[in-house]
Amino acid sequence: MAYFPEVSKIAYEGPTSKNPLAFRHYNPEEVVEGKKLKDLLRFTVCYWHTFRGTGVDPFGSATLVRPWDDGSNSVENAVKRVDVAFEFIEKLGCPFYAFHDRDVAPEAETLSQTNKNLDAVVKALKAAQERTGIKLLWGTANMFSHPRFMHGAATTCNADVFAFAAAQVKKALEVTKELGGENYVFWGGREGYHNLFNTDMKRELDHLAKFMHMAVDYAKKIGFTGQFLFEPKPKEPTKHQYDFDAAACLNFCRANGLLDHIKLNIETNHATLAGHTMMHELEYARIQGALGSIDANTGDLLLGWDTDQFPTDIYLTTQCMLVILEQGGIAPGGVNFDAKVRRESFDPIDLFHAHIGAMDAFARGTKIAAAIRKDGVLKDFVKKRYRSFDTGVGAEIESGKATFESLEKYVLGKETLNPNESGRQEMLENIINQYL
Ligand code: XLS
Ligand code: NI
Ligand code: NI
């Protein structure tokens, strides 16, 4: 049975194509910086927005038309959705998908029944993966929707809820392994707080560290060799999320001996909510060897919340790819479209338009970034800008030889300092525009 009968496999038709259901820039076989685009970008469809999104917002109910969904919480409905999802992902030509345990299978009254539901759907997912060759980029656990997690999961004040969360992640790791998932993600969910009058921050952070160590230990025990990813987000749902941004996450990992086990999953809309650009967050993670994967979406700068829109801005994707190409790719991570169609875009076919546009935007950004890198325009400028540290006193500073005394002596012995040079920001911005 075809759930998208009006769509056949989306083909690459080149930049002049007027067909809205074709790629203009994403040619999976095209080689950029030595890698096929499909292997470099590792595009991923995310199950929660694309197959569980309904279009609800705080002011209105569901709007999205999903004819295959009977609206029930049954396992049958969940298994049927697997067929829909894989037909969609296959027609789109996306090599990966990602999910939360609770998006793919319904939660029941008891944990044991919930696990059985999950097993039934995992069986269907596994068969669909084998049939289509589509792979799992990452799995994760939803520990924020159910009311039990109102105070958080690993940072809850209720030890029973902590235990439940641990059992849930144990199972999520098992199924991620079963499905050959290449990564496992921790996004904080409700790991944060609203008010310090009722919060023991120290205890909560210690518990979170214990929880993540337990996950790392259990993964080792069951032979799950995928990469762990920590996803920063500054706010929403809590006012203060502990995983605020890349810097906060890396500090947490470093302080708690987790740095060797965990990399970051950087999301565009979370970066901007934290008052950073995506490029800043990516570069901050990359220079510390911690850039693991990305949640590729975009926010709306006029709205102050996580709107999770599909990325279409070539300037943004170019900036992302400048950093990703610099680190030689993103594998075993990928470019996951943690994005949802607007509630006014309610037809199933809008899912295709959204993903095609985002994939094309990333493919174009990749080629633009590669051209910029090939000509060395930024690299050469930046290298030259710091050349005073290549020799003489600068080299002594960098090598650790210099001290306050030696630097004072150096300055006292000099008539005048070397003059500053222009940062040429506008010129560089103009040069980048020549490539767009
Ligand atoms: C929510 C997060 C979430 C994670 C996975 O804002 O982006 O979707 O990516 O739990
Ligand atoms: Ni995300
Ligand atoms: Ni998000």
Side-chain angles (χ1 to χ4, degrees):
M1 151 117 204
Y3 298 98
F4 303 94
E6 71 279 41
V7 184
S8 37
K9 178 124 177 75
I10 307 298
Y12 169 70
E13 292 185 3
T16 54
S17 170
K18 294 269 185 289
N19 176 5
L21 291 174
F23 294 116
R24 266 166 283 279
H25 304 280
Y26 179 59
N27 172 3
E29 302 300 323
E30 185 174 341
V31 174
V32 176
E33 295 204 6
K35 288 193 182 75
K36 288 186 177 173
L37 281 182
K38 63 178 182 194
D39 302 325
L40 178 63
L41 293 166
R42 296 164 64 83
F43 285 135
T44 303
V45 168
C46 90
Y47 212 96
W48 53 103
H49 290 311
T50 297
F51 303 108
R52 302 311 311 279
T54 60
V56 289
D57 76 3
F59 305 95
S61 47
T63 57
L64 305 187
V65 177
R66 300 294 180 249
W68 53 81
D69 207 298
D70 67 14
S72 79
N73 234 352
S74 71
V75 173
E76 294 68 47
N77 197 26
V79 168
K80 190 173 180 195
R81 249 186 242 121
V82 171
D83 277 346
V84 179
F86 278 76
E87 182 188 327
F88 175 81
I89 303 169
E90 206 178 11
K91 284 185 167 170
L92 185 64
C94 224
F96 293 95
Y97 72 111
F99 69 84
H100 298 93
D101 49 1
R102 303 301 178 247
D103 336 306
V104 290
E107 178 147 16
E109 285 298 312
T110 62
L111 181 64
S112 58
Q113 185 55 48
T114 302
N115 286 348
K116 281 190 195 131
N117 292 353
L118 186 53
D119 287 335
V121 179
V122 164
K123 213 172 135 204
L125 288 167
K126 196 169 180 181
Q129 284 184 217
E130 279 163 8
R131 183 168 47 75
T132 59
I134 293 161
K135 295 190 282 183
L136 177 63
L137 188 77
W138 49 263
T140 188
N142 175 333
M143 301 187 293
F144 42 88
S145 296
H146 193 281
R148 80 172 67 82
F149 296 120
M150 63 172 69
H151 299 299
T155 65
T156 173
C157 48
N158 178 342
D160 276 10
V161 173
F162 182 104
F164 192 100
Q168 194 177 326
V169 172
K170 175 178 177 288
K171 180 72 181 171
L173 280 167
E174 289 163 7
V175 305
T176 300
K177 174 173 187 258
E178 168 77 13
L179 295 171
E182 298 187 29
N183 304 266
Y184 184 88
V185 165
F186 282 109
W187 166 60
R190 295 181 191 276
E191 314 295 24
Y193 69 93
H194 291 287
N195 196 312
L196 277 179
F197 294 164
N198 66 7
T199 301
D200 189 332
M201 193 199 281
K202 166 107 178 56
R203 265 178 117 164
E204 292 200 355
L205 285 168
D206 286 349
H207 295 170
L208 182 59
K210 286 219 160 58
F211 194 95
M212 286 172 82
H213 273 292
M214 285 183 211
V216 168
D217 291 347
Y218 188 66
K220 204 166 168 196
K221 188 160 176 197
I222 62 172
F224 172 68
T225 52
Q227 173 175 273
F228 277 100
L229 297 166
F230 198 10
E231 181 175 325
K233 181 172 183 179
K235 53 190 163 203
E236 262 196 354
T238 74
K239 182 159 76 176
H240 300 278
Q241 295 278 130
Y242 291 131
D243 46 5
F244 191 95
D245 61 359
C249 288
L250 288 176
N251 177 58
F252 174 83
C253 289
R254 192 167 279 125
N256 291 289
L258 285 158
L259 218 45
D260 289 344
H261 309 289
I262 294 177
K263 292 194 176 184
L264 302 183
N265 182 37
I266 305 289
E267 177 165 325
T268 322
N269 205 164
H270 299 180
T272 48
L273 283 177
H276 300 305
T277 61
M278 180 62 164
M279 195 177 180
H280 165 93
E281 286 291 85
L282 292 172
E283 182 70 356
Y284 191 87
R286 183 192 72 79
I287 59 174
Q288 303 188 58
L291 173 54
S293 198
I294 73 169
D295 272 4
N297 61 15
T298 191
D300 185 321
L301 294 180
L302 300 183
L303 301 172
W305 68 90
D306 199 13
T307 58
D308 288 330
Q309 288 162 238
F310 280 86
T312 52
D313 179 353
I314 315 291
Y315 206 69
L316 168 68
T317 57
T318 299
Q319 290 184 332
C320 292
M321 293 313 299
L322 280 170
V323 182
I324 290 173
L325 288 174
E326 181 64 21
Q327 92 159 10
I330 194 83
V335 174
N336 171 44
F337 295 116
D338 191 352
K340 56 190 176 213
V341 289
R342 301 303 86 194
R343 70 197 293 273
E344 302 87 342
S345 306
F346 51 78
D347 287 333
I349 202 153
D350 289 310
L351 293 171
F352 279 98
H353 293 305
H355 284 84
I356 290 169
M359 289 161 82
D360 261 350
F362 261 90
R364 233 179 124 184
T366 304
K367 294 179 218 181
I368 294 166
I372 293 169
R373 285 164 51 77
K374 186 159 176 258
D375 294 348
V377 283
L378 295 179
K379 244 205 165 121
D380 294 350
F381 183 89
V382 172
K383 187 156 188 349
K384 191 161 159 258
R385 190 166 182 231
Y386 292 89
R387 71 186 182 283
S388 66
F389 285 91
D390 292 342
T391 55
V393 72
E396 277 169 28
I397 292 169
E398 284 199 351
S399 69
K401 264 205 222 134
T403 63
F404 270 8
E405 292 97 316
S406 77
L407 293 175
E408 183 194 48
K409 197 165 154 229
Y410 168 78
V411 175
L412 289 173
K414 263 190 105 155
E415 293 274 290
T416 48
L417 302 183
N418 290 333
N420 278 321
E421 291 169 3
S422 167
R424 296 266 190 272
Q425 182 178 319
E426 297 76 5
M427 180 193 82
L428 292 168
E429 286 167 344
N430 298 347
I431 290 175
I432 296 303
N433 277 355
Q434 292 170 19
Y435 288 82
L436 291 177

